[in-house]
Amino acid sequence: FKQVNDFAVAWVVQRSLGGHAIPLDAPTVRVLQRLGVLDEVDPDDLESLRGGIEHVIPKARGAEFTELLSALAQDACTDKDPACAKCPLLSECPTGTATASKKPDKD
């Protein structure tokens, strides 16, 4: 199926077939890049990125990882104007730390 993308295949493998696959879409990749987990991303090679992440995330925690990363991307690590100050991973995030240090202190 030419209409099916890598994210959809990985999601079905993880959720429906019980396999070990971490679905990666633009928001998840954005969060992983900001956290310093991923460097340069080739959108045509998400399969190799997924393979690298699958080596460090246990199969039993794959769905939970996917849900938490997706929630983080939606709630705090948004594309425009991320809410780094309210991010639970701020202390671990080089992008968030840099962003927080640039914002002026409010009196």
Side-chain angles (χ1 to χ4, degrees), residues 32-54:
L32 291 171
Q33 284 181 301
R34 287 180 178 168
L35 287 169
V37 175
L38 298 177
D39 292 322
E40 289 294 317
V41 174
D42 179 1
D44 295 328
D45 196 20
L46 289 178
E47 187 175 347
S48 67
L49 291 176
R50 198 168 26 84
I53 293 169
E54 289 166 0

Side-chain angles (χ1 to χ4, degrees), residues 14 27 41 53 55 57 62-63 74 77 84 87 90-91 98-99:
Q14 181 189 70
V41 174
I53 293 169
H55 281 18
I57 304 299
Q74 182 178 5
C77 198
C84 296
C87 179
L90 177 59
S91 64
T99 302

Side-chain angles (χ1 to χ4, degrees), residues 51-65:
I53 293 169
E54 289 166 0
H55 281 18
V56 294
I57 304 299
K59 178 182 173 185
R61 307 289 304 267
E64 178 184 20
F65 175 80

Side-chain angles (χ1 to χ4, degrees), residues 10-30:
W11 194 92
V12 169
V13 167
Q14 181 189 70
R15 301 298 175 100
S16 300
L17 302 176
H20 189 36
I22 303 294
L24 295 175
D25 58 358
T28 350
V29 169
R30 178 182 65 242

Side-chain angles (χ1 to χ4, degrees), residues 1-11 24-25 46:
F1 296 102
K2 291 182 181 185
Q3 296 86 355
V4 177
N5 62 21
D6 185 74
F7 177 85
V9 171
W11 194 92
L24 295 175
D25 58 358
L46 289 178

